[in-house]
Amino acid sequence: MKKIFLPISIFSALIFMGCSAGSSNESVSENIAIEDTTAANSIESEETDANTGATQVMPPVSFNGVIIMPPKMSSTLTLTMGGSIHKISVFEGDYVKSGEIIASLKNPDFILLQQEFLTANAQTEFLEKEFRRQEKLVSEEAASEKKFEQSKAEYLSMKSQLEASKAKLALLDVDTDELLKNGIKTYLEIKAPISGYVTNMNVNLGTYVGEGESVCKIINKSEIMLLLTAYEKDLAHLNIGDNLAFTVNGIKDTTFNAEIISIDQTVNTENRSINVYAKVKETNKLFRPGMYVNAQLNKNM
């Protein structure tokens, strides 16, 4: 009996080990299958996410900024001759046309400058006639060459004085033809260099305004610009000619349009910002320089 039992025990053990090994292999196979399925699902999921990401609409690039005036549409009225304000003809916010009188100034030097011009003009007329007479006499050998040359020098010298005096009055916006016709003016008229709205009026009656000091500013709102703040990360999205849609703080439920016309070539080293300039396509009476705006790139326009 012992001889029979030993082989059976061994056989049973071998069968048990075989079953265990099979079970282990099946478990490993199942684990591999589960891992493969998980990996496939993961890849599927990544591909789906990638596809979804590709079709997602990214938020538009936006910028903050303010309304500004183009340099050619804004004028600071400064004086080339100092004096006291005699009269003020406009008020801040008034619309004026180019050449319209803003104020008048009193200064005795202005009267002397006009006198200098009128004297030089009269002397030039006299000396020119004398020069022409001497020129004729010399051609007829009825006068000396020396006297002719002296007459010529006096005439040309006075003529240059007249031209200098005329140029000084032109800087003061004085019409010398009108001065010759109507005589000396007591007060210097300060005129608007461009048409637009009066702002930043810095004077009142009796105020002394020195040479080079400002009386007021005039802005013409027929052309408006935006000064926007962008950053280095935004440069890849910005191009000259790009369209913008913007809103203005204080003007509700209205969107306006602009076009980028210039991108500054320097970066602010403090905050890494870049100035972007855009021309506004519409006009609106509510626009004011300094108003806050929010703009977004509009690639669909």
Side-chain angles (χ1 to χ4, degrees):
M1 295 296 291
K2 288 182 180 178
K3 290 180 180 179
I4 296 170
F5 177 78
L6 184 59
I8 293 172
S9 300
I10 294 170
F11 181 75
S12 299
L14 290 173
I15 291 172
F16 178 78
M17 289 175 64
C19 290
S20 298
S23 176
S24 176
N25 290 336
E26 287 176 4
S27 176
V28 170
S29 299
E30 286 176 2
N31 288 338
I32 292 172
I34 291 170
E35 287 176 2
D36 289 342
T37 304
T38 303
N41 289 339
S42 176
I43 292 170
E44 240 177 76
S45 175
E46 287 175 3
E47 289 175 355
T48 302
D49 290 341
N51 291 334
T52 304
T55 57
Q56 283 181 347
V57 178
M58 299 299 292
V61 182
S62 62
F63 313 94
N64 294 325
V66 293
I67 291 176
I68 63 170
M69 302 300 304
K72 66 178 182 178
M73 307 305 289
S74 176
S75 175
T76 300
L77 197 54
T78 56
L79 300 182
T80 53
M81 173 180 279
S84 300
I85 297 297
H86 169 69
K87 182 180 180 181
I88 299 174
S89 304
V90 299
F91 194 71
E92 283 197 30
D94 288 347
Y95 183 85
V96 295
K97 294 182 179 180
S98 177
E100 187 173 336
I101 297 173
I102 302 294
S104 59
L105 194 75
K106 55 184 177 182
N107 185 337
D109 290 340
F110 174 59
I111 296 174
L112 293 176
L113 187 58
Q114 294 175 89
Q115 181 186 23
E116 178 186 310
F117 168 77
L118 293 173
T119 300
N121 183 73
Q123 288 291 330
T124 301
E125 286 184 357
F126 169 76
L127 291 173
E128 183 180 13
K129 289 178 181 179
E130 179 62 19
F131 166 67
R132 300 303 178 195
R133 189 177 74 84
Q134 290 296 328
E135 186 178 39
K136 183 178 179 181
L137 290 174
V138 167
S139 66
E140 296 174 352
E141 298 182 353
S144 66
E145 188 74 25
K146 181 179 179 181
K147 194 169 184 180
F148 165 71
E149 291 297 335
Q150 182 180 357
S151 175
K152 179 180 179 180
E154 290 175 350
Y155 163 63
L156 294 177
S157 176
M158 186 55 64
K159 184 180 179 183
S160 66
Q161 290 182 38
L162 174 64
E163 291 173 349
S165 182
K166 187 175 182 179
K168 290 178 182 178
L169 290 171
L171 290 175
L172 298 174
D173 203 19
V174 175
D175 186 343
T176 52
D177 291 335
E178 185 180 343
L179 178 58
L180 290 170
K181 181 179 178 180
N182 299 325
I184 291 175
K185 291 183 176 181
T186 305
Y187 304 107
L188 172 61
E189 296 173 340
I190 304 170
K191 300 176 182 178
I194 63 172
S195 297
Y197 294 92
V198 178
T199 184
N200 294 95
M201 181 72 76
N202 300 320
V203 298
N204 51 39
L205 293 179
T207 301
Y208 182 85
V209 185
E211 181 180 337
E213 293 183 4
S214 170
V215 174
C216 65
K217 289 184 69 175
I218 298 176
I219 58 173
N220 187 324
K221 298 197 299 179
S222 61
E223 292 184 26
I224 296 290
M225 288 182 63
L226 303 181
L227 170 56
L228 304 172
T229 300
Y231 295 92
E232 291 171 312
K233 64 181 179 61
D234 300 319
L235 279 176
H237 304 288
L238 297 174
N239 295 287
I240 303 298
D242 281 350
N243 291 295
L244 300 167
F246 71 95
T247 56
V248 182
N249 191 27
I251 305 179
K252 295 182 179 180
D253 304 322
T254 307
T255 300
F256 303 97
N257 300 290
E259 178 184 339
I260 295 177
I261 61 172
S262 179
I263 301 172
D264 201 351
Q265 297 300 306
T266 59
V267 177
N268 186 314
T269 55
E270 294 183 3
N271 59 9
R272 315 308 302 171
S273 65
I274 301 163
N275 288 336
V276 177
Y277 299 89
K279 181 180 179 181
V280 177
K281 296 183 179 181
E282 301 96 342
T283 58
N284 190 296
K285 64 179 182 179
L286 297 179
F287 286 162
R288 300 286 190 280
M291 292 182 88
Y292 179 84
V293 302
N294 178 264
Q296 294 181 338
L297 276 177
N298 191 348
K299 296 290 188 179
N300 297 324
M301 291 181 62

